[in-house]
């Protein structure tokens, strides 16, 4: 007996006691995201559920029989996000954290998407510069001028230790043994050694550090006069011999 009913949606068979059996075909593919049906000419059809929302800025899918519409342009830390509806293109623009302060390093924290402004470190590890930060121009450096100390040689700044204490006195030696050399208010004073014996009848002078007092020469080379020196005036006196 020919039991074929020419219907692709039935399973055809023959039972000896009851005759032809045409049981419906099982088309369930156990996928909740398909519509299961049967066409009598072609058999089972399992058509994917249409989840399109006709929005180019979403990713459409089916999960457990439910349509999902995921944002095509999800948020990204430290960026603003948007989607061009007509073409479905994502647009990401970095967050502007510039605070217009040259004394901060500006950045965005990717954990919080918040701006961070860290103070600029202007330290150049040089003890011979003074540094500070100008909000408009940034770090500014100026040379340290070591303080001068009265009657000491100027000192130079050391990069690692800075300005040293003065240790070398100003050299006021004029290499003249007949002067007394000293420094007063950063000026050398070279005063002659006192040589006067307060005697008008001596010539007082210094030579190589030694003071000399030579008698005034009053000799007129005249055997008929007595030659002497007036101790009050320093004048030579010539008295005729009687």
């Amino acid at each position: 007996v020919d039991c074929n009913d020419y219907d692709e949606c039935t399973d055809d068979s023959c039972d000896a006691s009851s005759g032809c059996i045409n049981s419906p075909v099982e088309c369930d593919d156990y996928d909740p995201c398909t519509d299961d049906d049967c066409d009598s000419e072609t058999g089972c059809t399992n058509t994917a559920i249409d989840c399109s929302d006709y929005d180019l800025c979403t990713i459409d899918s089916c999960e457990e029989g439910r349509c999902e519409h995921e944002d095509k342009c999800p948020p990204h830390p430290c960026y603003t996000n948007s989607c061009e509806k007509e073409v479905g293109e994502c647009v990401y623009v970095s967050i502007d954290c510039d605070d217009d302060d040259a004394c901060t390093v500006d950045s965005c924290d990717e954990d919080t998407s918040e701006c961070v402004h860290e103070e600029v470190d202007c330290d150049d590890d040089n003890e011979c510069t003074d540094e500070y930060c100008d909000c408009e121009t940034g770090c500014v450096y100026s040379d340290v001028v070591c303080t001068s100390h009265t009657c000491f040689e100027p000192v130079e700044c050391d990069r690692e230790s800075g300005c040293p204490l003065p240790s070398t006195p100003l050299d006021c030696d004029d290499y003249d043994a007949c002067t007394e050399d000293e420094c007063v208010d950063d000026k050398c004073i070279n005063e002659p050694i006192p040589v006067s014996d307060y005697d008008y009848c001596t010539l007082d002078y210094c030579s190589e550090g030694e003071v000399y007092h030579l008698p005034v020469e009053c000799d007129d080379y005249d055997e008929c006069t007595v030659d002497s020196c007036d101790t009050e005036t320093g004048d030579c006196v010539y008295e005729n011999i009687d």
Side-chain angles (χ1 to χ4, degrees), residues 26-141:
E26 178 60 59
C27 287
D28 189 356
D29 61 359
Y30 301 102
D31 183 348
C33 288
T34 58
D35 284 329
D36 306 322
D37 199 0
C38 188
D39 183 284
S40 58
E41 291 185 0
T42 59
C44 288
T45 58
N46 307 100
T47 306
I49 293 175
D50 182 10
C51 285
S52 176
D53 58 0
Y54 304 100
D55 184 346
L56 296 178
C57 290
T58 60
I59 299 173
D60 307 320
S61 62
C62 178
E63 298 291 337
E64 300 295 329
R66 293 178 302 176
C67 286
E68 302 285 345
H69 307 287
E70 182 182 351
D71 189 352
K72 186 178 181 181
C73 305
H76 189 283
C78 294
Y79 285 85
T80 59
N81 62 308
S82 62
C83 180
E84 295 185 1
K85 293 286 187 180
E86 294 181 357
V87 293
E89 287 188 1
C90 294
V91 179
Y92 288 97
V93 179
S94 60
I95 294 175
D96 183 9
C97 288
D98 188 0
D99 59 359
D100 295 319
D101 184 347
C103 292
T104 59
V105 178
D106 308 320
S107 63
C108 181
D109 188 329
E110 292 199 353
D111 291 332
T112 63
S113 287
E114 293 183 355
C115 289
V116 178
H117 308 285
E118 294 184 0
E119 184 177 346
V120 167
D121 182 7
C122 289
D123 187 359
D124 60 357
D125 294 321
N126 185 352
E127 294 296 327
C128 293
T129 58
D130 286 326
E131 51 263 356
Y132 71 93
C133 191
D134 183 280
C135 292
E136 294 184 359
T137 61
C139 292
V140 179
Y141 300 93

Side-chain angles (χ1 to χ4, degrees), residues 178-208:
C178 288
T179 59
E180 293 179 343
D181 309 321
E182 65 176 336
C183 177
V184 178
D185 295 332
D186 270 348
K187 293 182 179 180
C188 287
I189 297 176
N190 309 101
E191 292 284 350
I193 291 175
V195 295
S196 177
D197 60 358
Y198 304 101
D199 184 346
Y200 289 112
C201 290
T202 58
L203 295 175
D204 309 320
Y205 70 95
C206 176
S207 177
E208 297 185 358

Side-chain angles (χ1 to χ4, degrees), residues 2 5 20 25 90 92 110 117 131 155 176 188 225 227 230:
D2 183 7
D5 60 1
C20 288
V25 172
C90 294
Y92 288 97
E110 292 199 353
H117 308 285
E131 51 263 356
V155 294
D176 183 348
C188 287
T225 60
D227 308 326
D230 188 326

Side-chain angles (χ1 to χ4, degrees), residues 130-158:
D130 286 326
E131 51 263 356
Y132 71 93
C133 191
D134 183 280
C135 292
E136 294 184 359
T137 61
C139 292
V140 179
Y141 300 93
S142 59
D143 292 333
V144 168
V145 178
C146 293
T147 303
S148 60
H149 293 262
T150 303
C151 292
F152 280 87
E153 294 289 347
V155 294
E156 294 185 358
C157 187
D158 182 88

